[in-house]
């Protein structure tokens, strides 16, 4: 007589419990990882700052040199101002106001309503449009109205770690792509307060050459800017206070508004 043999099934409950517990742990870890991930910082839509900007490169037509100015950036309302105190002039860009060109048409005027840029000379340490004011159309080479450039940190920028930049404890964010051509962008934001400290860009435009920019920021202050900051005089062809840059009395030179 042989003993009765019974098939013994492997225990299933511990396995199921183990699988369930592991799944829960993985979900918790994923949630913690998501919560701890640092969001890509953003540049405020409105701010003021003192800027030192350096531009250069090998591409033809790229402006080269260093400029120091006070920036009034108001992308929220599509307007911008830059005060060049050492050179005693101010530039104001009013992308928010589209002005109809003169009729009958004047050579150089756009076909449709377009924004204007204004260069105002200083007197007594401040802009004086009644003494010196010139304007130009803000249009591209084809005569189309330009749009204000928005300062953005690419959404796919990665946190490159903590660094001291321009003497400020900062977090470095880096972005790199090869589309539509090789280019990099780097941004440093103050660890305390989140102010923009510096932004650098580099692009290699195939056979055209390279373009690079570097901007250092101090006294960075986000927040609303008073409307009077962007006030400009009339620029009507007949009775306007501001004259076109093509006027012999204007000193716009080779300014690239």
């Amino acid at each position: 007589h042989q003993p009765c043999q019974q098939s013994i099934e492997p225990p299933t409950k511990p396995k199921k419990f183990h699988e369930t517990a592991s799944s829960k742990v993985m979900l918790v870890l994923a949630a913690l990882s998501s919560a701890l991930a640092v969001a890509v910082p953003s540049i405020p839509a409105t701010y003021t700052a003192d800027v030192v900007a350096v531009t250069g490169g090998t591409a033809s037509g790229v402006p080269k040199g260093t400029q120091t100015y006070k920036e009034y950036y108001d992308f929220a309302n599509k307007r911008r101002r830059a005060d060049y105190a050492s050179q005693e002039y101010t530039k104001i860009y009013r992308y928010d106001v589209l002005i109809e060109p003169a009729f009958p048409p004047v050579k150089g005027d756009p076909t449709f309503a377009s924004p204007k840029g204004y260069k105002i000379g200083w007197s007594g340490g401040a802009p004086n449009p009644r003494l010196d004011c010139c304007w130009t159309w803000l249009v591209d080479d084809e005569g189309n109205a330009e749009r204000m450039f928005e300062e953005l940190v690419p959404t796919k920028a990665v946190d490159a770690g903590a660094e001291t930049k321009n003497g400020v404890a900062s977090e470095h964010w880096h972005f790199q792509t090869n589309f539509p051509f090789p280019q990099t962008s780097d941004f440093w934001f103050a660890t305390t307060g989140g102010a923009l400290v510096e932004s650098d860009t580099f692009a290699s435009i195939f056979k055209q050459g390279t373009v690079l920019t570097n901007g250092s920021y101090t006294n960075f202050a986000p927040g609303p800017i008073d409307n009077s900051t962007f006030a400009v005089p009339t620029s009507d062809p007949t009775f306007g206070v501001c004259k076109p840059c093509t006027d012999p009395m204007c000193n716009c030179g080779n300014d690239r508004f």
Side-chain angles (χ1 to χ4, degrees), residues 44-98:
T46 307
Y47 72 82
T48 60
D50 293 320
V51 183
V52 178
V54 181
T55 56
T58 61
S60 176
V62 174
K64 299 176 178 65
T66 302
Q67 291 185 316
T68 302
Y69 54 90
K70 175 80 172 184
E71 172 80 26
Y72 301 85
Y73 175 82
D74 187 6
F75 185 79
N77 295 296
K78 305 300 183 291
R79 53 194 184 178
R80 177 179 176 253
R81 168 174 165 169
D83 287 353
Y84 300 84
S86 62
Q87 296 165 276
E88 296 191 324
Y89 68 81
T90 287
K91 286 186 176 181
I92 297 177
Y93 305 75
R94 295 300 302 267
Y95 297 96
D96 58 323
V97 180
L98 301 181

Short mmCIF file of all heavy atoms in Angstrom, two decimals, residues 44-98:
data_model
loop_
_atom_site.label_atom_id
_atom_site.label_comp_id
_atom_site.label_asym_id
_atom_site.label_seq_id
_atom_site.Cartn_x
_atom_site.Cartn_y
_atom_site.Cartn_z
N PRO A 44 10.32 86.49 -15.61
CA PRO A 44 9.07 87.26 -15.45
C PRO A 44 8.69 88.01 -16.72
O PRO A 44 9.55 88.46 -17.48
CB PRO A 44 9.42 88.23 -14.31
CG PRO A 44 10.53 87.59 -13.57
CD PRO A 44 11.32 86.85 -14.60
N ALA A 45 7.39 88.14 -16.95
CA ALA A 45 6.89 88.84 -18.13
C ALA A 45 7.11 90.34 -18.03
O ALA A 45 7.05 91.05 -19.04
CB ALA A 45 5.40 88.55 -18.33
N THR A 46 7.38 90.83 -16.82
CA THR A 46 7.64 92.25 -16.61
C THR A 46 8.72 92.41 -15.56
O THR A 46 8.60 91.86 -14.47
CB THR A 46 6.36 92.98 -16.15
OG1 THR A 46 5.29 92.71 -17.04
CG2 THR A 46 6.58 94.48 -16.08
N TYR A 47 9.78 93.14 -15.89
CA TYR A 47 10.84 93.37 -14.91
C TYR A 47 11.69 94.57 -15.32
O TYR A 47 11.65 95.03 -16.47
CB TYR A 47 11.73 92.12 -14.77
CG TYR A 47 12.63 91.85 -15.95
CD1 TYR A 47 13.85 92.51 -16.11
CD2 TYR A 47 12.29 90.92 -16.92
CE1 TYR A 47 14.69 92.26 -17.20
CE2 TYR A 47 13.12 90.66 -18.01
CZ TYR A 47 14.31 91.34 -18.14
OH TYR A 47 15.13 91.11 -19.21
N THR A 48 12.49 95.05 -14.36
CA THR A 48 13.52 96.06 -14.64
C THR A 48 14.85 95.49 -14.16
O THR A 48 14.89 94.67 -13.23
CB THR A 48 13.24 97.39 -13.93
OG1 THR A 48 13.20 97.17 -12.51
CG2 THR A 48 11.91 97.97 -14.38
N ALA A 49 15.94 95.90 -14.80
CA ALA A 49 17.27 95.41 -14.41
C ALA A 49 18.34 96.26 -15.06
O ALA A 49 18.11 96.91 -16.08
CB ALA A 49 17.43 93.95 -14.82
N ASP A 50 19.53 96.25 -14.45
CA ASP A 50 20.71 96.83 -15.07
C ASP A 50 21.42 95.71 -15.82
O ASP A 50 21.70 94.66 -15.25
CB ASP A 50 21.63 97.44 -14.01
CG ASP A 50 21.00 98.64 -13.33
OD1 ASP A 50 20.36 99.45 -14.02
OD2 ASP A 50 21.12 98.75 -12.09
N VAL A 51 21.70 95.94 -17.10
CA VAL A 51 22.20 94.87 -17.96
C VAL A 51 23.54 95.25 -18.59
O VAL A 51 23.73 96.38 -19.01
CB VAL A 51 21.17 94.57 -19.09
CG1 VAL A 51 21.66 93.42 -19.95
CG2 VAL A 51 19.80 94.27 -18.50
N VAL A 52 24.43 94.28 -18.65
CA VAL A 52 25.64 94.38 -19.45
C VAL A 52 25.54 93.28 -20.50
O VAL A 52 25.54 92.10 -20.17
CB VAL A 52 26.92 94.20 -18.61
CG1 VAL A 52 28.14 94.26 -19.52
CG2 VAL A 52 27.01 95.28 -17.53
N ALA A 53 25.39 93.67 -21.76
CA ALA A 53 25.17 92.71 -22.85
C ALA A 53 26.38 92.68 -23.78
O ALA A 53 26.85 93.72 -24.23
CB ALA A 53 23.91 93.08 -23.62
N VAL A 54 26.84 91.47 -24.07
CA VAL A 54 27.96 91.27 -24.99
C VAL A 54 27.46 90.43 -26.16
O VAL A 54 26.82 89.39 -25.96
CB VAL A 54 29.13 90.55 -24.30
CG1 VAL A 54 30.29 90.37 -25.29
CG2 VAL A 54 29.59 91.34 -23.08
N THR A 55 27.71 90.88 -27.37
CA THR A 55 27.32 90.12 -28.56
C THR A 55 28.54 89.94 -29.46
O THR A 55 29.44 90.78 -29.49
CB THR A 55 26.21 90.83 -29.35
OG1 THR A 55 26.64 92.15 -29.69
CG2 THR A 55 24.94 90.92 -28.53
N GLY A 56 28.55 88.84 -30.20
CA GLY A 56 29.67 88.58 -31.10
C GLY A 56 29.42 87.35 -31.94
O GLY A 56 28.32 86.81 -31.98
N GLY A 57 30.45 86.90 -32.62
CA GLY A 57 30.34 85.74 -33.48
C GLY A 57 30.98 86.00 -34.83
O GLY A 57 31.48 87.10 -35.11
N THR A 58 30.94 84.98 -35.69
CA THR A 58 31.57 85.08 -37.01
C THR A 58 30.56 85.29 -38.13
O THR A 58 30.97 85.55 -39.26
CB THR A 58 32.38 83.81 -37.30
OG1 THR A 58 31.50 82.68 -37.28
CG2 THR A 58 33.47 83.61 -36.26
N ALA A 59 29.27 85.17 -37.84
CA ALA A 59 28.26 85.33 -38.88
C ALA A 59 28.22 86.78 -39.36
O ALA A 59 28.38 87.72 -38.58
CB ALA A 59 26.89 84.92 -38.35
N SER A 60 28.00 86.95 -40.65
CA SER A 60 27.95 88.29 -41.23
C SER A 60 26.77 89.08 -40.69
O SER A 60 25.67 88.56 -40.55
CB SER A 60 27.84 88.17 -42.76
OG SER A 60 27.70 89.43 -43.35
N GLY A 61 27.02 90.35 -40.36
CA GLY A 61 25.95 91.22 -39.90
C GLY A 61 25.67 91.15 -38.41
O GLY A 61 24.85 91.92 -37.90
N VAL A 62 26.33 90.26 -37.69
CA VAL A 62 26.11 90.16 -36.26
C VAL A 62 26.77 91.33 -35.55
O VAL A 62 27.98 91.57 -35.74
CB VAL A 62 26.68 88.83 -35.70
CG1 VAL A 62 26.58 88.79 -34.18
CG2 VAL A 62 25.95 87.66 -36.31
N PRO A 63 26.01 92.11 -34.75
CA PRO A 63 26.64 93.22 -34.03
C PRO A 63 27.63 92.70 -33.00
O PRO A 63 27.38 91.68 -32.36
CB PRO A 63 25.45 93.92 -33.37
CG PRO A 63 24.38 92.88 -33.29
CD PRO A 63 24.57 92.00 -34.48
N LYS A 64 28.74 93.38 -32.86
CA LYS A 64 29.78 92.95 -31.93
C LYS A 64 30.09 94.08 -30.96
O LYS A 64 30.18 95.24 -31.34
CB LYS A 64 31.05 92.55 -32.70
CG LYS A 64 30.85 91.39 -33.67
CD LYS A 64 32.13 91.11 -34.46
CE LYS A 64 31.96 89.93 -35.39
NZ LYS A 64 30.98 90.20 -36.46
N GLY A 65 30.26 93.70 -29.70
CA GLY A 65 30.61 94.71 -28.71
C GLY A 65 29.86 94.52 -27.41
O GLY A 65 29.15 93.54 -27.20
N THR A 66 30.04 95.50 -26.51
CA THR A 66 29.44 95.47 -25.18
C THR A 66 28.57 96.70 -24.98
O THR A 66 28.98 97.81 -25.33
CB THR A 66 30.52 95.44 -24.09
OG1 THR A 66 31.35 94.28 -24.29
CG2 THR A 66 29.91 95.38 -22.71
N GLN A 67 27.38 96.50 -24.44
CA GLN A 67 26.47 97.61 -24.15
C GLN A 67 26.00 97.50 -22.70
O GLN A 67 25.73 96.40 -22.20
CB GLN A 67 25.27 97.59 -25.08
CG GLN A 67 25.59 97.93 -26.53
CD GLN A 67 24.35 98.02 -27.39
OE1 GLN A 67 23.47 97.18 -27.31
NE2 GLN A 67 24.27 99.04 -28.22
N THR A 68 25.91 98.65 -22.06
CA THR A 68 25.42 98.72 -20.69
C THR A 68 24.19 99.61 -20.67
O THR A 68 24.22 100.73 -21.18
CB THR A 68 26.50 99.31 -19.76
OG1 THR A 68 27.69 98.49 -19.83
CG2 THR A 68 26.01 99.34 -18.32
N TYR A 69 23.10 99.11 -20.11
CA TYR A 69 21.86 99.88 -20.13
C TYR A 69 20.90 99.44 -19.01
O TYR A 69 21.08 98.38 -18.40
CB TYR A 69 21.16 99.74 -21.48
CG TYR A 69 20.90 98.32 -21.92
CD1 TYR A 69 19.72 97.67 -21.61
CD2 TYR A 69 21.86 97.62 -22.66
CE1 TYR A 69 19.49 96.36 -22.02
CE2 TYR A 69 21.65 96.33 -23.08
CZ TYR A 69 20.46 95.70 -22.76
OH TYR A 69 20.24 94.40 -23.16
N LYS A 70 19.90 100.26 -18.78
CA LYS A 70 18.82 99.94 -17.86
C LYS A 70 17.67 99.39 -18.67
O LYS A 70 17.18 100.03 -19.60
CB LYS A 70 18.37 101.20 -17.11
CG LYS A 70 17.16 101.01 -16.19
CD LYS A 70 17.55 100.39 -14.88
CE LYS A 70 16.39 100.37 -13.90
NZ LYS A 70 16.77 99.84 -12.57
N GLU A 71 17.25 98.17 -18.34
CA GLU A 71 16.20 97.48 -19.09
C GLU A 71 14.84 97.61 -18.40
O GLU A 71 14.72 97.39 -17.20
CB GLU A 71 16.55 96.00 -19.23
CG GLU A 71 15.46 95.14 -19.82
CD GLU A 71 15.40 95.24 -21.33
OE1 GLU A 71 16.43 95.56 -21.96
OE2 GLU A 71 14.32 94.99 -21.90
N TYR A 72 13.82 97.98 -19.20
CA TYR A 72 12.43 97.97 -18.75
C TYR A 72 11.71 97.00 -19.70
O TYR A 72 11.35 97.36 -20.82
CB TYR A 72 11.81 99.35 -18.84
CG TYR A 72 12.50 100.41 -18.00
CD1 TYR A 72 13.61 101.10 -18.50
CD2 TYR A 72 12.05 100.73 -16.73
CE1 TYR A 72 14.25 102.07 -17.74
CE2 TYR A 72 12.69 101.70 -15.97
CZ TYR A 72 13.78 102.36 -16.48
OH TYR A 72 14.42 103.34 -15.73
N TYR A 73 11.51 95.79 -19.24
CA TYR A 73 10.97 94.73 -20.08
C TYR A 73 9.51 94.49 -19.68
O TYR A 73 9.21 94.13 -18.54
CB TYR A 73 11.79 93.47 -19.89
CG TYR A 73 11.28 92.24 -20.60
CD1 TYR A 73 11.54 92.01 -21.94
CD2 TYR A 73 10.56 91.26 -19.90
CE1 TYR A 73 11.10 90.86 -22.59
CE2 TYR A 73 10.11 90.11 -20.53
CZ TYR A 73 10.38 89.91 -21.87
OH TYR A 73 9.94 88.77 -22.50
N ASP A 74 8.61 94.67 -20.63
CA ASP A 74 7.17 94.51 -20.34
C ASP A 74 6.53 93.69 -21.46
O ASP A 74 5.78 94.22 -22.27
CB ASP A 74 6.51 95.88 -20.21
CG ASP A 74 5.05 95.77 -19.75
OD1 ASP A 74 4.60 94.65 -19.43
OD2 ASP A 74 4.36 96.81 -19.71
N PHE A 75 6.85 92.40 -21.48
CA PHE A 75 6.27 91.55 -22.51
C PHE A 75 4.77 91.40 -22.32
O PHE A 75 4.03 91.20 -23.29
CB PHE A 75 6.93 90.17 -22.50
CG PHE A 75 6.46 89.29 -23.62
CD1 PHE A 75 6.96 89.44 -24.90
CD2 PHE A 75 5.48 88.32 -23.40
CE1 PHE A 75 6.52 88.66 -25.95
CE2 PHE A 75 5.02 87.52 -24.44
CZ PHE A 75 5.55 87.69 -25.72
N ALA A 76 4.30 91.52 -21.08
CA ALA A 76 2.87 91.39 -20.81
C ALA A 76 2.06 92.40 -21.61
O ALA A 76 0.94 92.12 -22.05
CB ALA A 76 2.60 91.57 -19.31
N ASN A 77 2.64 93.58 -21.83
CA ASN A 77 1.94 94.64 -22.58
C ASN A 77 2.63 94.97 -23.90
O ASN A 77 2.32 95.99 -24.52
CB ASN A 77 1.83 95.90 -21.71
CG ASN A 77 0.95 95.67 -20.50
OD1 ASN A 77 -0.24 95.42 -20.61
ND2 ASN A 77 1.55 95.74 -19.31
N LYS A 78 3.60 94.13 -24.29
CA LYS A 78 4.30 94.25 -25.58
C LYS A 78 4.98 95.61 -25.76
O LYS A 78 4.76 96.33 -26.72
CB LYS A 78 3.31 94.00 -26.74
CG LYS A 78 2.59 92.67 -26.64
CD LYS A 78 3.57 91.51 -26.64
CE LYS A 78 2.84 90.16 -26.62
NZ LYS A 78 2.15 89.89 -25.35
N ARG A 79 5.82 95.97 -24.81
CA ARG A 79 6.58 97.22 -24.91
C ARG A 79 7.89 97.07 -24.13
O ARG A 79 8.01 96.26 -23.21
CB ARG A 79 5.77 98.40 -24.38
CG ARG A 79 5.22 98.18 -22.98
CD ARG A 79 4.16 99.18 -22.60
NE ARG A 79 3.73 98.99 -21.22
CZ ARG A 79 2.84 99.75 -20.61
NH1 ARG A 79 2.27 100.76 -21.25
NH2 ARG A 79 2.52 99.51 -19.35
N ARG A 80 8.88 97.86 -24.55
CA ARG A 80 10.21 97.73 -23.96
C ARG A 80 10.92 99.08 -24.03
O ARG A 80 10.69 99.87 -24.94
CB ARG A 80 11.01 96.68 -24.74
CG ARG A 80 12.45 96.52 -24.26
CD ARG A 80 13.20 95.44 -25.03
NE ARG A 80 14.59 95.38 -24.60
CZ ARG A 80 15.62 95.82 -25.32
NH1 ARG A 80 15.42 96.31 -26.54
NH2 ARG A 80 16.85 95.76 -24.84
N ARG A 81 11.79 99.28 -23.03
CA ARG A 81 12.60 100.51 -23.01
C ARG A 81 14.00 100.16 -22.54
O ARG A 81 14.20 99.30 -21.68
CB ARG A 81 11.97 101.54 -22.06
CG ARG A 81 12.87 102.74 -21.75
CD ARG A 81 12.14 103.78 -20.95
NE ARG A 81 13.04 104.76 -20.34
CZ ARG A 81 12.66 105.88 -19.77
NH1 ARG A 81 11.37 106.19 -19.71
NH2 ARG A 81 13.55 106.70 -19.24
N ALA A 82 15.00 100.84 -23.13
CA ALA A 82 16.39 100.66 -22.72
C ALA A 82 17.03 102.04 -22.59
O ALA A 82 17.01 102.83 -23.54
CB ALA A 82 17.14 99.80 -23.72
N ASP A 83 17.58 102.33 -21.41
CA ASP A 83 18.25 103.61 -21.15
C ASP A 83 19.77 103.42 -21.21
O ASP A 83 20.34 102.65 -20.42
CB ASP A 83 17.88 104.14 -19.76
CG ASP A 83 16.47 104.68 -19.70
OD1 ASP A 83 15.81 104.76 -20.75
OD2 ASP A 83 16.01 105.01 -18.58
N TYR A 84 20.41 104.10 -22.15
CA TYR A 84 21.86 104.05 -22.29
C TYR A 84 22.44 105.33 -21.69
O TYR A 84 22.72 106.30 -22.40
CB TYR A 84 22.24 103.92 -23.76
CG TYR A 84 21.68 102.66 -24.42
CD1 TYR A 84 20.39 102.63 -24.93
CD2 TYR A 84 22.45 101.51 -24.52
CE1 TYR A 84 19.87 101.48 -25.52
CE2 TYR A 84 21.94 100.36 -25.11
CZ TYR A 84 20.64 100.36 -25.60
OH TYR A 84 20.13 99.22 -26.18
N ALA A 85 22.60 105.34 -20.38
CA ALA A 85 22.98 106.55 -19.67
C ALA A 85 24.34 107.09 -20.12
O ALA A 85 24.51 108.30 -20.28
CB ALA A 85 22.99 106.29 -18.16
N SER A 86 25.31 106.21 -20.32
CA SER A 86 26.65 106.67 -20.69
C SER A 86 26.67 107.31 -22.08
O SER A 86 27.54 108.13 -22.38
CB SER A 86 27.64 105.50 -20.65
OG SER A 86 27.27 104.50 -21.59
N GLN A 87 25.69 106.95 -22.93
CA GLN A 87 25.62 107.52 -24.27
C GLN A 87 24.51 108.57 -24.39
O GLN A 87 24.31 109.13 -25.45
CB GLN A 87 25.39 106.38 -25.28
CG GLN A 87 26.56 105.40 -25.33
CD GLN A 87 26.20 104.11 -26.04
OE1 GLN A 87 25.64 103.19 -25.46
NE2 GLN A 87 26.52 104.05 -27.32
N GLU A 88 23.80 108.75 -23.29
CA GLU A 88 22.77 109.78 -23.17
C GLU A 88 21.67 109.65 -24.23
O GLU A 88 21.32 110.62 -24.91
CB GLU A 88 23.40 111.18 -23.22
CG GLU A 88 24.33 111.45 -22.05
CD GLU A 88 24.73 112.90 -21.95
OE1 GLU A 88 24.92 113.54 -23.02
OE2 GLU A 88 24.85 113.42 -20.83
N TYR A 89 21.11 108.47 -24.32
CA TYR A 89 19.90 108.31 -25.14
C TYR A 89 19.08 107.12 -24.63
O TYR A 89 19.59 106.24 -23.93
CB TYR A 89 20.22 108.16 -26.62
CG TYR A 89 20.92 106.90 -27.04
CD1 TYR A 89 20.22 105.71 -27.24
CD2 TYR A 89 22.30 106.90 -27.27
CE1 TYR A 89 20.87 104.56 -27.64
CE2 TYR A 89 22.95 105.74 -27.68
CZ TYR A 89 22.23 104.57 -27.85
OH TYR A 89 22.87 103.43 -28.25
N THR A 90 17.82 107.13 -25.00
CA THR A 90 16.88 106.07 -24.62
C THR A 90 16.22 105.52 -25.87
O THR A 90 15.95 106.26 -26.82
CB THR A 90 15.79 106.64 -23.68
OG1 THR A 90 16.35 106.88 -22.39
CG2 THR A 90 14.61 105.68 -23.53
N LYS A 91 15.97 104.21 -25.86
CA LYS A 91 15.20 103.60 -26.95
C LYS A 91 13.92 103.00 -26.37
O LYS A 91 13.97 102.31 -25.35
CB LYS A 91 16.02 102.51 -27.65
CG LYS A 91 17.12 103.06 -28.55
CD LYS A 91 17.80 101.94 -29.32
CE LYS A 91 18.83 102.50 -30.30
NZ LYS A 91 19.51 101.43 -31.08
N ILE A 92 12.81 103.29 -27.03
CA ILE A 92 11.51 102.77 -26.60
C ILE A 92 10.88 102.03 -27.76
O ILE A 92 10.81 102.55 -28.88
CB ILE A 92 10.58 103.90 -26.11
CG1 ILE A 92 11.19 104.58 -24.87
CG2 ILE A 92 9.20 103.34 -25.78
CD1 ILE A 92 10.38 105.75 -24.35
N TYR A 93 10.43 100.82 -27.50
CA TYR A 93 9.83 99.96 -28.52
C TYR A 93 8.36 99.77 -28.17
O TYR A 93 8.03 99.19 -27.12
CB TYR A 93 10.53 98.61 -28.55
CG TYR A 93 12.03 98.68 -28.74
CD1 TYR A 93 12.88 99.06 -27.69
CD2 TYR A 93 12.60 98.34 -29.95
CE1 TYR A 93 14.25 99.12 -27.86
CE2 TYR A 93 13.98 98.38 -30.14
CZ TYR A 93 14.80 98.78 -29.08
OH TYR A 93 16.16 98.83 -29.25
N ARG A 94 7.46 100.25 -29.05
CA ARG A 94 6.02 100.15 -28.78
C ARG A 94 5.37 99.14 -29.74
O ARG A 94 4.73 99.52 -30.71
CB ARG A 94 5.39 101.53 -28.88
CG ARG A 94 5.86 102.53 -27.82
CD ARG A 94 5.54 102.03 -26.40
NE ARG A 94 4.11 101.79 -26.22
CZ ARG A 94 3.27 102.71 -25.75
NH1 ARG A 94 3.72 103.91 -25.40
NH2 ARG A 94 2.00 102.42 -25.61
N TYR A 95 5.55 97.87 -29.42
CA TYR A 95 4.94 96.82 -30.24
C TYR A 95 3.42 96.77 -30.02
O TYR A 95 2.72 96.13 -30.81
CB TYR A 95 5.54 95.47 -29.88
CG TYR A 95 7.02 95.35 -30.17
CD1 TYR A 95 7.96 95.58 -29.17
CD2 TYR A 95 7.48 95.02 -31.44
CE1 TYR A 95 9.32 95.47 -29.42
CE2 TYR A 95 8.84 94.91 -31.71
CZ TYR A 95 9.74 95.13 -30.69
OH TYR A 95 11.09 95.03 -30.95
N ASP A 96 2.96 97.41 -28.96
CA ASP A 96 1.54 97.36 -28.62
C ASP A 96 0.70 98.34 -29.44
O ASP A 96 -0.52 98.27 -29.43
CB ASP A 96 1.35 97.66 -27.14
CG ASP A 96 1.91 99.02 -26.73
OD1 ASP A 96 2.97 99.40 -27.27
OD2 ASP A 96 1.30 99.69 -25.89
N VAL A 97 1.35 99.26 -30.15
CA VAL A 97 0.62 100.27 -30.91
C VAL A 97 0.97 100.13 -32.39
O VAL A 97 2.12 100.30 -32.79
CB VAL A 97 0.98 101.71 -30.44
CG1 VAL A 97 0.21 102.73 -31.26
CG2 VAL A 97 0.67 101.86 -28.95
N LEU A 98 -0.03 99.83 -33.20
CA LEU A 98 0.16 99.71 -34.65
C LEU A 98 -0.31 101.01 -35.30
O LEU A 98 -1.46 101.41 -35.15
CB LEU A 98 -0.61 98.52 -35.20
CG LEU A 98 -0.22 97.15 -34.61
CD1 LEU A 98 -1.04 96.04 -35.27
CD2 LEU A 98 1.27 96.88 -34.76
#
